[in-house]
Amino acid sequence: MDKYAIILAAGKGTRMKSELPKVLHQVSGKAMISHVLSATQAINPEKTLVIVGHGAKEVLSILPEDISYVKQEEQLGTGHAVKIAESLLKDLTGTTLIIAGDTPLIKSETLAELVDFHQSEKATATILTAIAEDPTGYGRIIREDGQVSKIVEQKDANDFEKSVQEINTGTYVFDNQALFDALSDITTDNAQGEYYLTDVIEIMKENDAKVGAFVLDDFEESIGVNDRIALSQAEKIMRHRINHQHMVNGVTLIDPETTYIDASVQIGSDTIIEPNVVITGTTVIGKDVYITSGSRIEDSILDDHTQVRNSTVEYATLKEGANVGPYAHLRPSTVLHENVHIGNFVEVKASSLGVGTKAGHLTYIGNATVGDGVNFGAGSITVNYDGKNKFNTEIEDYAFIGSNSTLIAPLSIGKNAVTTAGSVITSDVFEADVAFGRARQTNKTGRAKHLPSYHVD
């Protein structure tokens, strides 16, 4: 039987107090709607349809190209949101999953089990429910003789109904054609003056349709994010899941509570991560990597046996055996080849450093192509920017860059060449040359005693 998915993503989310559409707020580095889209793939839908509204252009910009959408011009309720998809889905036969785009914690396994349950029960509608210790604010599942009779929203509930702890998570599975038939009968006769999707359940019951309920084992999956408080709760739960899975896979997290790893990060076994580390984006980390406290790694690749010590690495690549830090900064488009050492207070940007090259301290390397075995002395810099244009520096294998050398690009330093300490190098240095680029020292005998700073014992 064909399956379809409808994701509700039209709301503004006023309680978020944000210009950003609610479903685009991130949980563990992914927009909430992206988490939901990933989960819905578990049912292998023939068609996935997103209902957009507020901030439609921004929401659509992150959706995969194969996702269809319909725009809800006026937010008149969840029932209205689904009804406007009628032209794309009404005539199709099969099973339709409806889920809110602000439920990032729902698991793919749960959705697969929900649909399987719906089909095995031969139900017309199945509601995903949960048991809440405090059900305030949720729609209540009202049962008669153990069977679902209706869903009552908080604002429309009487005292008895408010005491019910089984709540509606806002996720449903329907027979597709029965869904759109029932939607034609819903009204706005309620406290909100909106078209409730939940009214479809009561309409179906009146027509003797079978309505089932699939109860979640874990209430946390049902959390819908409506404000920053719920967003932080979702972030904490998701982070716990992510860290737990990495540890199951053989990664050592010294203190998982202070380790922040985005959902899309990959980490190999025997890697050790100390507390207060942040790893974001599409970072891929190999095996037996060591990352110390205070490091931040963003959208980077760290091969096996690399180390990052209390440093920032962004959009960079470390080949096997390379090590960075402490207090180093690798900026975008940096590649460190095997066994490169980048030490304290060294910044590298848009550069490739060859095998075994070392920059131990207080160095800036920008827009440079550096060969194997090159040594940078303390205080060396490549001067790559003239205020308007960027220029490249090429340094061949085994060159020695003396401390406090200033290399003014465009420039080429040949193989085994040496620049002496304190030199300003403005012309190419050829293979095995020694380059001096500093003024001759002159001493003025006794003149220091005439300066204001002169001290007499």
Side-chain angles (χ1 to χ4, degrees), residues 125-186:
T126 302
I127 309 158
L128 183 63
T129 71
I131 306 302
E133 289 186 16
D134 178 7
T136 303
Y138 291 95
R140 308 303 203 279
I141 302 299
I142 307 303
R143 294 177 180 263
E144 293 179 4
D145 299 325
Q147 300 299 310
V148 175
S149 63
K150 61 180 178 178
I151 304 172
V152 179
E153 298 299 324
Q154 170 82 24
K155 292 183 179 181
D156 300 308
N158 58 37
D159 289 342
F160 167 75
E161 290 165 341
K162 288 178 181 177
S163 70
V164 173
Q165 290 184 290
E166 186 176 9
I167 59 98
N168 174 27
T169 68
T171 297
Y172 315 86
V173 180
F174 293 100
D175 173 87
N176 187 67
Q177 291 186 327
L179 166 65
F180 287 100
D181 287 343
L183 281 170
S184 64
D185 294 329
I186 62 175

Side-chain angles (χ1 to χ4, degrees), residues 43-251:
I43 71 166
N44 297 312
E46 295 292 321
K47 182 190 289 288
T48 299
L49 185 65
V50 177
I51 310 299
V52 297
H54 177 75
K57 186 175 180 180
E58 294 171 88
V59 175
L60 293 174
S61 70
I62 74 159
L63 297 182
E65 292 183 359
D66 61 338
I67 301 298
S68 302
Y69 72 94
V70 176
K71 187 173 183 181
Q72 187 183 21
E73 299 290 350
E74 293 183 272
Q75 275 72 66
L76 302 178
T78 52
H80 177 257
V82 176
K83 193 172 182 178
I84 64 172
E86 189 172 38
S87 61
L88 295 177
L89 293 177
K90 182 180 180 181
D91 296 329
L92 301 177
T93 58
T95 299
T96 297
L97 167 72
I98 299 177
I99 186 170
D102 62 0
T103 55
L105 298 176
I106 197 76
K107 295 179 180 178
S108 56
E109 301 92 329
T110 297
L111 296 183
E113 291 169 4
L114 170 64
V115 171
D116 288 346
F117 175 85
H118 171 83
Q119 293 180 338
S120 66
E121 292 290 309
K122 295 181 170 56
T124 302
T126 302
I127 309 158
L128 183 63
T129 71
I131 306 302
E133 289 186 16
D134 178 7
T136 303
Y138 291 95
R140 308 303 203 279
I141 302 299
I142 307 303
R143 294 177 180 263
E144 293 179 4
D145 299 325
Q147 300 299 310
V148 175
S149 63
K150 61 180 178 178
I151 304 172
V152 179
E153 298 299 324
Q154 170 82 24
K155 292 183 179 181
D156 300 308
N158 58 37
D159 289 342
F160 167 75
E161 290 165 341
K162 288 178 181 177
S163 70
V164 173
Q165 290 184 290
E166 186 176 9
I167 59 98
N168 174 27
T169 68
T171 297
Y172 315 86
V173 180
F174 293 100
D175 173 87
N176 187 67
Q177 291 186 327
L179 166 65
F180 287 100
D181 287 343
L183 281 170
S184 64
D185 294 329
I186 62 175
T187 70
T188 59
D189 185 18
N190 52 61
Q192 292 285 84
E194 294 182 349
Y195 293 98
Y196 290 160
L197 180 59
T198 51
D199 288 347
V200 165
I201 301 299
E202 198 165 355
I203 291 168
M204 289 180 172
K205 289 294 293 184
E206 289 171 356
N207 293 325
D208 297 323
K210 185 175 182 180
V211 175
F214 183 80
V215 184
L216 271 172
D217 290 330
D218 183 1
F219 174 77
E220 288 180 341
E221 285 190 60
S222 70
I223 292 175
V225 175
N226 292 311
D227 55 28
R228 307 287 181 145
I229 298 168
L231 185 66
S232 71
Q233 292 170 339
E235 179 73 37
K236 185 174 183 179
I237 293 165
M238 185 67 77
R239 178 159 49 90
H240 179 269
R241 285 185 193 173
I242 291 167
N243 289 355
H244 177 83
Q245 190 59 51
H246 283 303
M247 290 186 286
V248 168
N249 293 342
V251 178

Side-chain angles (χ1 to χ4, degrees), residues 306-324:
T306 52
Q307 291 188 12
V308 177
R309 291 171 289 165
N310 196 14
S311 296
T312 297
V313 178
E314 48 184 343
Y315 298 90
T317 298
L318 278 67
K319 299 293 187 180
E320 186 168 350
N323 66 89
V324 175

